[in-house]
Amino acid sequence: MQRLKQLCFSLLIIPTLAFAIDMENGEEINEVCAGCHGEYGQGGKEGEYPRLAGMPSAFIAKQLHLFRDRLRPNLAMVEYVDDRQMPDADIQDIAHYLEQIVLKTKLPPADETSPDFNAYQRLLESKRLMQIPLAPGDVKSGKKRYKKECASCHGREGLGDMKKAVPMLAGQYTNYLWRQVKKYRENIRIHDEDAPDDELLLEFSDQELTDIFAYLSTVDD
Ligand code: HEC
Ligand code: HEC
């Protein structure tokens, strides 16, 4: 009986331990990623490097596995995700570290004349702001189409879906989104694993997507 209890105990405890997230390790790994994706995962070079901050950890982890297994081509990252460099535990740690980074879109109002005003603190906060530049297009029509065609997966306002591992589209660089559209259309990436043969984006014209992205670029205003 005692042994049985012990066995049950270890069965319970081992899976938990195996998935314990080490945030400090995540922070350390991020120093490597920061070279391209920015210190706060804010991305860079206007979308050459995508924003990662606040993305669902399950989405980030999935992409890292796809890069590592060479199922999603990414030359820039090959040397960082090789098996020896990036064991599964590291993938979990960095994915959770990036998920919890919150990037505000504007600074809260502050009274610069108040004795409590801390200019240095303010400067640090302003470095963590992220605003996507407005993209051209018909925002109203894009919003309508977004709500009808994309919101069920990407969330009401394009902020993604943590549980279903769907990435945010609002708050991501428009250039980056376009590059991915091209990859989905050419079957270099798979948009919906449950229906891999039906590329969702093939049904939309460039003009329709332009409008959708115009709308998404306004969400953070
Ligand atoms: C040498 C530059 C470079 C470094 C370093 C780098 N990346 Fe990337 N990463 C890229 C590029 C370029 C892309 C976009 C590829 C594309 O267009 O499909 C990308 C894409 C990604 C994506 C896909 C995001 C999305 O929304 O589709 C994830 C996740 C990611 N990187 C995570 C990481 C992590 C975690 C690290 C650190 C371990 C890292 N990257 C280090 C260049 C880099
Ligand atoms: C059935 C659910 C579903 C619908 C509907 C959907 N998407 Fe997606 N989308 C996803 C998933 C899941 C991913 C991540 C897939 C992967 O691993 O590449 C994704 C990824 C993307 C990406 C790449 C983002 C990144 O950071 O790499 C773009 C761009 C995108 N979707 C655009 C759209 C647009 C625009 C619409 C509406 C016209 C739309 N999607 C409708 C599920 C959906």
Side-chain angles (χ1 to χ4, degrees), residues 29 32-33 36-37 48-50 52 55 59-60 63-64 67 72 74 76-77 80 86 94 98 172 176 179-180 183 189:
I29 297 170
V32 176
C33 319
C36 293
H37 293 282
E48 184 173 334
Y49 307 118
L52 303 175
M55 284 284 184
F59 169 74
I60 297 174
Q63 302 311 308
L64 289 173
F67 295 147
R72 175 176 168 189
N74 186 340
M77 280 181 57
Y80 301 98
M86 248 285 165
I94 183 65
L98 290 164
Q172 184 60 277
Y176 184 72
R179 252 191 8 254
Q180 304 316 306
K183 289 182 191 187
R189 281 183 76 179

Side-chain angles (χ1 to χ4, degrees), residues 48-113:
E48 184 173 334
Y49 307 118
R51 174 231 188 102
L52 303 175
M55 284 284 184
S57 54
F59 169 74
I60 297 174
K62 182 180 151 205
Q63 302 311 308
L64 289 173
H65 279 284
L66 291 173
F67 295 147
R68 206 179 70 180
D69 299 342
R70 310 284 192 271
L71 293 172
R72 175 176 168 189
N74 186 340
L75 266 180
M77 280 181 57
V78 160
E79 61 176 301
Y80 301 98
V81 289
D82 234 16
D83 223 338
R84 272 165 304 155
Q85 298 255 3
M86 248 285 165
D88 290 0
D90 279 3
I91 288 186
Q92 284 303 323
D93 293 347
I94 183 65
H96 281 85
Y97 178 76
L98 290 164
E99 176 187 273
Q100 52 85 46
I101 300 179
V102 177
L103 298 180
K104 292 193 183 143
T105 56
K106 22 179 134 42
L107 285 175
D111 177 5
E112 295 186 16
T113 56

Side-chain angles (χ1 to χ4, degrees), residues 116-171:
D116 298 332
F117 181 74
N118 182 334
Y120 181 63
Q121 193 60 35
R122 190 81 176 161
L123 179 71
L124 289 184
E125 276 180 34
S126 71
K127 283 192 171 169
R128 294 186 61 145
L129 290 182
M130 185 170 171
Q131 271 266 352
I132 294 299
L134 288 179
D138 181 340
V139 172
K140 217 172 133 202
S141 142
K143 179 174 181 177
K144 221 169 127 195
R145 198 174 303 276
Y146 175 84
K147 301 267 176 199
K148 188 159 168 257
E149 310 284 357
C150 324
S152 60
C153 294
H154 287 280
R156 271 172 45 129
E157 306 230 83
L159 299 176
D161 185 320
M162 290 288 169
K163 281 201 215 108
K164 291 193 231 149
V166 185
M168 62 171 74
L169 300 178

